[in-house]
Amino acid sequence: MAHPTQLGFQDAASPVMEELLHFHDHALMIVFLIITLVLYIIIAMVSTKLTNKYILDSQEIEIVWTILPAVILVLIALPSLRILYLMDEINDPHLTIKAMGHQWYWSYEYTDYEDLGFDSYMIPTQDLTPGQFRLLETDHRMVVPMESPVRVLVSAEDVLHSWAVPSLGVKMDAVPGRLNQTAFIASRPGVFYGQCSEICGANHSFMPIVVEAVPLEHFESWSSLMLEDA
């Protein structure tokens, strides 16, 4: 859960998000080194009156400052491509959920069950109970089992939406007439919040996403109760 004055990412709740955090730190360290080197060169060039003829005209230094940036780009590109393929990998999901975007709410359908689906609306501010978050709580949460691969099929009924949960490392566009898919594994129990991340009209800010990860036995109990109520 994000908090005021937070500068970094939310705590990772999935293996993919952990990889993204590590890659962010890796890339940021390279950026800091480059900024430090360039700043030092600028200060040295401005503050000294001496001129080095080997810097003004040197084939060796031109080779270095051509090859070195290429090596740095490779050091950034290789882990980036690895994570990109990891995010697209969907192997034998234990559960498939279809998330449909509407103006302005989400509906979820558990396709492995015969009749398990519901709409998820934001809880108005005046109806919130103490401890609930404004603009983030919903009347029905998307409940998933922890430590299980979950596939989410994302589409929309009217306009473009985007199903995004930052702490799970998931963001997928919901396009009318098109079925996109993404996957995640919740590595710990908890409640994870997200919001529609594609401007979709007047109430774009008021269609939150709440994913609740629970142990498998609790998920089975929840699904049995939902089926009985249906």
Side-chain angles (χ1 to χ4, degrees), residues 71-215:
V71 172
I72 291 172
L73 288 176
V74 170
L75 290 176
I76 294 174
L78 290 179
S80 174
L81 287 171
R82 173 178 168 271
I83 296 173
L84 199 62
Y85 280 101
L86 279 175
M87 293 175 72
D88 278 340
E89 199 72 32
I90 300 176
N91 288 325
D92 190 25
H94 295 176
L95 181 68
T96 299
I97 302 172
K98 185 166 72 174
M100 288 288 292
H102 308 266
Q103 288 183 310
W104 288 272
Y105 64 96
W106 293 96
S107 61
Y108 299 104
E109 181 182 335
Y110 288 69
T111 58
D112 298 292
Y113 296 84
E114 188 174 343
D115 189 21
L116 179 52
F118 49 84
D119 296 332
S120 180
Y121 290 88
M122 186 193 77
I123 300 177
T125 303
Q126 62 270 20
D127 296 336
L128 291 174
T129 59
Q132 289 186 320
F133 299 106
R134 191 178 73 90
L135 302 184
L136 287 177
E137 295 289 352
T138 60
D139 56 355
H140 291 94
R141 293 173 172 175
M142 187 181 110
V143 180
V144 298
M146 59 176 282
E147 296 180 340
S148 296
V150 178
R151 174 173 58 186
V152 184
L153 305 176
V154 184
S155 187
E157 193 177 57
D158 35 47
V159 298
L160 290 176
H161 299 280
S162 186
W163 198 84
V165 183
S167 54
L168 295 173
V170 174
K171 184 179 185 294
M172 182 56 65
D173 287 342
V175 183
R178 175 171 179 157
L179 202 61
N180 293 326
Q181 71 173 354
T182 185
F184 64 88
I185 300 174
S187 53
R188 56 186 170 85
V191 180
F192 311 110
Y193 295 91
Q195 290 177 298
C196 176
S197 297
E198 189 73 51
I199 295 176
C200 56
N203 291 333
H204 159 67
S205 304
F206 309 113
M207 47 182 303
I209 299 158
V210 183
V211 178
E212 183 175 357
V214 297

Side-chain angles (χ1 to χ4, degrees), residues 9-83:
F9 291 98
Q10 296 181 27
D11 291 339
S14 71
V16 168
M17 191 60 198
E18 288 180 11
E19 293 287 341
L20 288 170
L21 289 177
H22 293 154
F23 174 70
H24 171 263
D25 296 342
H26 166 74
L28 207 59
M29 186 54 64
I30 293 175
V31 169
F32 282 151
L33 291 174
I34 292 172
I35 290 173
T36 304
L37 176 62
V38 171
L39 191 62
Y40 168 76
I41 292 173
I42 290 173
I43 292 172
M45 294 285 286
V46 170
S47 62
T48 181
K49 295 180 180 179
L50 300 175
T51 302
N52 189 326
K53 67 177 183 178
Y54 293 111
I55 292 180
L56 293 177
D57 186 17
S58 172
Q59 195 169 8
E60 290 78 9
I61 199 169
E62 288 185 7
I63 292 171
V64 170
W65 71 36
T66 301
I67 293 177
L68 190 60
V71 172
I72 291 172
L73 288 176
V74 170
L75 290 176
I76 294 174
L78 290 179
S80 174
L81 287 171
R82 173 178 168 271
I83 296 173

